[in-house]
Amino acid sequence: MATQADQQTQSGTTGHQEVNHKSLLQSDALYQYILETSVYPREPEPMRELREITANHPWNLMCTPADEGQFLNMLLKLINAKNTMEIGVYTGYSLLATALALPDDGKILAMDINKENYELGLPVIQKAGLAHKIDFREGPALPVLDQMIEDGKFHGTFDFIFVDADKDNYLNYHKRLIELVKVGGLIGYDNTLWNGAVVAPPDAPMRKYVRYYRPFVLELNKALAADPRIEICQLPVGDGITLCRRVS
């Protein structure tokens, strides 16, 4: 399985257009076909604008891929989500996909340690008339989650929660989020295939951050598969996303 570095090299040699090529598809041409045929022609203008703004950011690889943004947008509509949470915002591409899917009185509690990145995409969100749906909190999410649990009134109130943040805390998030998402609601954990590193030999060449977080992703995947409180579906969209439906 190609590492992120390998995929970037492949992208450079094949002319791949997606700025943050995270797909685990073996063929760049096939992934480009999906983007050009099904994703880009139907991508809302604000999402296209924000994606292009983010392309110029030095950390653009952190952006949710366009096909995953499309998937999240449709998923939220299918489950009629209204009250959601996002941990890890970056410039707000997945946040914008969510905001576009929610009804006008829908709400998103959005948390990130870097408000500067969020403010890069905020003008696009404001121009789209969606800022009123977003409650952005700068700082670590765990203290906020602990306070919400302590308050008691937030238990089982969220329809959907999307996590794309520090992988070494994913299990810590899960321990709290399972109390906050409603029975029948969904939690989505991003990057659960982690550049294909989950099946790579331990001594395989990897970027330093890929190697560092690999054990945490492996631990998360094992824990989610064994958690009787949820049903799971792990999809090879983007860098891998695992959907968890709370059943008890």
Side-chain angles (χ1 to χ4, degrees):
M1 190 72 70
T3 65
Q4 189 174 67
D6 292 334
Q7 290 172 341
Q8 289 177 321
T9 300
Q10 292 166 5
S11 298
T13 58
T14 60
H16 202 290
Q17 298 301 307
E18 175 71 346
V19 62
N20 53 351
H21 179 26
K22 296 182 182 179
S23 174
L24 296 178
L25 285 173
Q26 294 297 301
S27 167
D28 276 358
L30 185 56
Y31 184 52
Q32 194 65 32
Y33 172 83
I34 293 171
L35 293 174
E36 293 179 355
T37 305
S38 301
V39 180
Y40 292 155
R42 303 300 294 268
E43 185 179 35
E45 177 59 24
M47 292 181 67
R48 182 199 63 77
E49 184 178 353
L50 181 50
R51 177 169 55 81
E52 292 179 353
I53 289 172
T54 306
N56 296 316
H57 194 279
W59 301 342
N60 57 46
L61 196 64
M62 290 170 54
C63 185
T64 299
D67 56 328
E68 186 175 351
Q70 185 184 61
F71 168 73
L72 291 173
N73 181 269
M74 178 172 284
L75 178 66
L76 287 158
K77 292 173 181 174
L78 287 171
I79 66 173
N80 295 313
K82 186 173 181 179
N83 188 38
T84 73
M85 182 192 305
E86 182 160 333
I87 301 175
V89 173
Y90 186 40
T91 60
Y93 188 79
S94 56
L95 184 65
L96 181 54
T98 300
L100 284 165
L102 298 186
D104 191 60
D105 59 345
K107 297 296 179 185
I108 312 165
L109 173 60
M111 293 177 276
D112 198 291
I113 59 171
N114 190 322
K115 189 175 183 180
E116 184 178 341
N117 290 334
Y118 169 64
E119 289 177 339
L120 185 65
L122 183 57
V124 178
I125 294 171
Q126 291 171 330
K127 186 169 66 174
L130 300 168
H132 67 283
K133 299 182 182 181
I134 300 168
D135 175 12
F136 180 84
R137 313 271 185 93
E138 183 179 22
L142 287 174
V144 178
L145 299 178
D146 285 337
Q147 184 60 55
M148 293 174 72
I149 291 171
E150 184 179 337
D151 287 348
K153 61 183 179 181
F154 297 101
H155 286 238
T157 60
F158 287 88
D159 303 310
F160 179 77
I161 302 171
F162 184 58
V163 185
D164 183 10
D166 42 334
K167 316 310 170 192
D168 46 347
N169 266 320
Y170 267 30
L171 270 180
N172 290 324
Y173 292 138
H174 186 67
K175 291 173 184 176
R176 294 156 172 83
L177 297 178
I178 196 67
E179 296 189 39
L180 298 173
V181 70
K182 72 179 185 181
V183 173
L186 294 176
I187 306 172
Y189 292 102
D190 204 20
N191 306 110
T192 58
L193 294 177
W194 201 229
N195 300 260
V198 290
V199 295
D203 59 350
M206 299 178 199
R207 290 189 173 189
K208 185 181 296 185
Y209 79 93
V210 173
R211 183 177 301 281
Y212 175 79
Y213 288 114
R214 178 178 178 270
F216 298 105
V217 177
L218 288 169
E219 184 183 18
L220 172 78
N221 291 339
K222 184 176 180 180
L224 295 180
D227 190 338
R229 300 168 297 179
I230 56 175
E231 297 172 336
I232 66 170
C233 179
Q234 188 173 32
L235 300 169
V237 176
D239 192 29
I241 179 171
T242 300
L243 297 178
C244 308
R245 178 177 177 266
R246 183 183 174 188
V247 293
S248 66

